[in-house]
Amino acid sequence: MKEIRRDIYLNQLIEKQWNGQVKIITGLRRAGKSYLLFTLFVRYLVEHDVSQDHIITLALDDFKNRQYRQAEALYDYVTKRIVDSERYYVLLDEIQKAEDFVDVLNGFLHIPNIDVYVTGSNSKFLSSDIATEFGDRGDEINVHPLSFSEFYSVYDGDKHSAWDEYCRYGGMPLVLQRTTDAAKQQYLKDLFRKVYLKDIVARYGLRADNELANVTDIVASDIGSLLNPLRIANTMKTIKNKSVSQNTIEKYLDYLQDSFLIDKAARYDIKGRKYISTPQKYYFTDIGLRNARINFRQQEENHIMENIIYNELLIRGFAVDVGVVEVNVSENGKPTRKQLEVDFVANKGSLRYYIQSAWDLPNREKIEQEQQSFMAIGDSFKKILIQKNDVLPWYNEQGVLIIGLLDFLLHPECIEK
């Protein structure tokens, strides 16, 4: 299989060299963090004249390295290899395996000629730990599963068949090594049940994962829909005949987010310039894992497309909210307020894009329907309609950019035109 380039993340590591912080590579287990650090980044260093003996690497999840999981042993392992005043790179995989690893890493920060990079992903090293334990001494790089562009770069086929494969099995790198549908499906199901849910149960001391699994399944069935703990509780009561408190469900949702399995998109009142606390929307970090949770049923490609667009915007470094626009309308002769939705409000620095995901735009009437919320916004930030079918990018009379999905996913520059 051809090598998968992860240039987005490699470039982040390159840019962050010698910034005085611990570079912490986080993300789903099996998403490619170790490959990024030990293969792609090490190769870059060697190609830029860093000698191998000045690159200190250690995989702490390897049984042969178990003695270095003790704090003093790990600290000694690294410091004894620093034999001159030249620059050293320290690369540690699965750092959460080491005891008192925060103290060890903070100790390394006091050594002026080393630059430290670590990966972490399992039940003792999730996203919330970074803010708690490191503060401004840690610089996080969150690695996602393969984007469609990365997936297509090694896919043996045309882009349309690649889309069909991607929106069913997602972008976990090892899925590409499975050659049959049955093998891919089983890999994803096992990964979710035996790795991710098991990690959460271990981290939070849950007695069993049944309730957690049920909450996960409900979120998987309703990607892109408005959800809150009350609605999930009612669904569990109706479908599963189980009573679970809203507080417990809220905790489970937090656990799933901290584990990088799902992301929460907050609702933002565009005109009022304020966030709406509830309900929210949830998207899966990898669509293949989502499909595995519901046994590859509910393959509504319009919702899958929306989830993949959301992930793509995150990968490109945007902060993404769900937009809400209130308008005055007349119903039965009476004035009333109505909320229109903008699928995504994407912000990065001074850039802002309003984006609608549209499965099909067969005629002018459908275009006007999809862009109705755009017309109510009233500002000059770019407004984009992404449709499933291929189309040459064009601007309509209202100044809305209409582009095809695969152009958007394969050519990031197309939204700049």
Side-chain angles (χ1 to χ4, degrees), residues 221-407:
S221 295
D222 287 328
I223 54 170
S225 299
L226 294 174
L227 285 175
N228 59 25
L230 175 59
R231 178 177 170 182
I232 294 173
N234 290 337
T235 301
M236 291 184 68
K237 181 66 174 177
T238 301
I239 297 177
K240 303 289 185 180
N241 197 28
K242 292 184 177 180
S243 295
V244 182
S245 72
Q246 294 182 52
N247 184 58
T248 297
I249 290 172
E250 189 169 357
K251 288 180 180 178
Y252 288 159
L253 292 172
D254 288 342
Y255 299 163
L256 292 168
Q257 291 173 76
D258 279 346
S259 303
F260 308 104
L261 283 166
I262 65 173
D263 276 303
K264 178 173 69 176
R267 297 171 74 216
Y268 180 71
D269 180 346
I270 296 173
K271 286 188 171 181
R273 298 182 181 180
K274 61 184 178 181
Y275 283 97
I276 302 169
S277 60
T278 186
Q280 315 282 2
K281 286 192 175 185
Y282 294 89
Y283 296 98
F284 268 74
T285 305
D286 180 74
I287 202 66
L289 290 170
R290 175 264 179 184
N291 293 339
R293 278 310 301 175
I294 55 174
N295 202 27
F296 295 89
R297 298 186 296 270
Q298 290 183 244
Q299 296 295 293
E300 312 98 328
E301 204 168 352
N302 56 330
H303 295 305
I304 290 173
M305 170 180 164
E306 183 180 325
N307 197 139
I308 290 171
I309 291 172
Y310 175 80
N311 289 340
E312 180 67 25
L313 291 168
L314 293 183
I315 289 169
R316 295 182 189 178
F318 287 95
V320 186
D321 300 315
V322 174
V324 175
V325 186
E326 285 200 348
V327 295
N328 293 313
V329 298
S330 178
E331 292 184 357
N332 300 320
K334 296 181 179 180
T336 185
R337 300 285 290 173
K338 180 180 179 181
Q339 287 189 340
L340 302 178
E341 185 174 285
V342 177
D343 285 336
F344 303 121
V345 181
N347 294 288
K348 182 166 62 175
S350 61
L351 290 175
R352 170 176 286 188
Y353 299 113
Y354 300 116
I355 296 173
Q356 291 285 68
S357 170
W359 178 248
D360 192 18
L361 298 174
N363 51 48
R364 185 184 188 92
E365 181 181 359
K366 181 63 174 175
I367 292 175
E368 290 178 353
Q369 177 185 334
E370 290 289 346
Q371 69 180 24
Q372 185 182 7
S373 59
F374 287 166
M375 298 303 98
I377 292 174
D379 65 33
S380 59
F381 289 112
K382 182 173 285 188
K383 300 162 181 71
I384 304 168
L385 270 175
I386 303 175
Q387 69 171 64
K388 166 62 168 58
N389 296 328
D390 292 341
V391 61
L392 290 175
W394 64 287
Y395 286 91
N396 66 14
E397 298 90 338
Q398 290 75 33
V400 175
L401 173 62
I402 300 175
I403 57 178
L405 171 66
L406 298 186
D407 267 348

Side-chain angles (χ1 to χ4, degrees), residues 5-71:
R5 298 177 61 88
R6 310 299 308 268
D7 288 345
I8 288 177
Y9 310 109
L10 178 60
N11 289 336
Q12 289 183 54
L13 290 177
I14 294 169
E15 292 168 3
K16 295 174 186 293
Q17 292 179 94
W18 300 101
N19 66 357
Q21 297 173 299
V22 176
K23 272 62 71 175
I24 307 168
I25 305 169
T26 62
L28 274 172
R29 293 182 71 176
R30 311 288 194 273
K33 301 183 299 299
S34 302
Y35 173 77
L36 168 68
L37 188 60
F38 281 7
T39 299
L40 299 179
F41 188 54
V42 167
R43 180 191 301 162
Y44 169 85
L45 293 176
V46 171
E47 290 175 350
H48 287 77
D49 301 322
V50 178
S51 61
Q52 287 280 7
D53 60 0
H54 282 60
I55 305 172
I56 303 169
T57 64
L58 189 65
L60 289 163
D61 61 338
D62 192 328
F63 181 75
K64 70 181 180 182
N65 296 327
R66 64 193 182 280
Q67 69 269 30
Y68 301 117
R69 296 172 189 169
Q70 296 181 345

Side-chain angles (χ1 to χ4, degrees), residues 81-294:
R81 282 160 178 74
I82 301 171
V83 296
D84 55 43
S85 60
E86 298 297 317
R87 286 182 164 185
Y88 285 78
Y89 291 81
V90 177
L91 283 51
L92 306 174
D93 197 23
E94 301 294 351
I95 186 61
Q96 77 287 334
K97 293 282 186 181
E99 66 179 16
D100 298 327
F101 65 86
V102 174
D103 288 342
V104 175
L105 295 179
N106 284 333
F108 291 154
L109 289 177
H110 293 284
I111 303 174
N113 64 325
I114 68 172
D115 198 20
V116 183
Y117 302 75
V118 302
T119 75
S121 56
N122 79 5
S123 61
K124 293 185 179 178
F125 197 85
L126 304 180
S127 61
S128 58
D129 294 326
I130 293 169
T132 301
E133 302 290 357
F134 285 97
D136 61 359
R137 296 165 295 179
D139 196 345
E140 182 180 5
I141 298 119
N142 185 230
V143 174
H144 295 255
L146 302 179
S147 68
F148 177 72
S149 177
E150 291 170 327
F151 176 88
Y152 181 54
S153 72
V154 295
Y155 181 78
D156 187 17
D158 64 70
K159 62 183 181 181
H160 297 287
S161 60
W163 166 258
D164 291 339
E165 181 87 2
Y166 185 78
C167 70
R168 185 169 180 81
Y169 297 120
M172 297 303 290
L174 291 182
V175 169
L176 289 165
Q177 297 182 6
R178 273 63 180 177
T179 57
T180 68
D181 288 338
K184 293 172 183 177
Q185 291 179 15
Q186 194 60 52
Y187 170 73
L188 291 169
K189 289 178 183 178
D190 288 346
L191 195 58
F192 214 120
R193 180 172 56 88
K194 297 179 179 179
V195 177
Y196 302 137
L197 293 185
K198 185 178 177 181
D199 272 358
I200 294 173
V201 169
R203 173 176 173 82
Y204 296 102
L206 305 181
R207 288 174 293 179
D209 65 357
N210 292 339
E211 290 180 352
L212 174 65
N214 288 335
V215 170
T216 304
D217 292 342
I218 291 170
V219 175
S221 295
D222 287 328
I223 54 170
S225 299
L226 294 174
L227 285 175
N228 59 25
L230 175 59
R231 178 177 170 182
I232 294 173
N234 290 337
T235 301
M236 291 184 68
K237 181 66 174 177
T238 301
I239 297 177
K240 303 289 185 180
N241 197 28
K242 292 184 177 180
S243 295
V244 182
S245 72
Q246 294 182 52
N247 184 58
T248 297
I249 290 172
E250 189 169 357
K251 288 180 180 178
Y252 288 159
L253 292 172
D254 288 342
Y255 299 163
L256 292 168
Q257 291 173 76
D258 279 346
S259 303
F260 308 104
L261 283 166
I262 65 173
D263 276 303
K264 178 173 69 176
R267 297 171 74 216
Y268 180 71
D269 180 346
I270 296 173
K271 286 188 171 181
R273 298 182 181 180
K274 61 184 178 181
Y275 283 97
I276 302 169
S277 60
T278 186
Q280 315 282 2
K281 286 192 175 185
Y282 294 89
Y283 296 98
F284 268 74
T285 305
D286 180 74
I287 202 66
L289 290 170
R290 175 264 179 184
N291 293 339
R293 278 310 301 175
I294 55 174

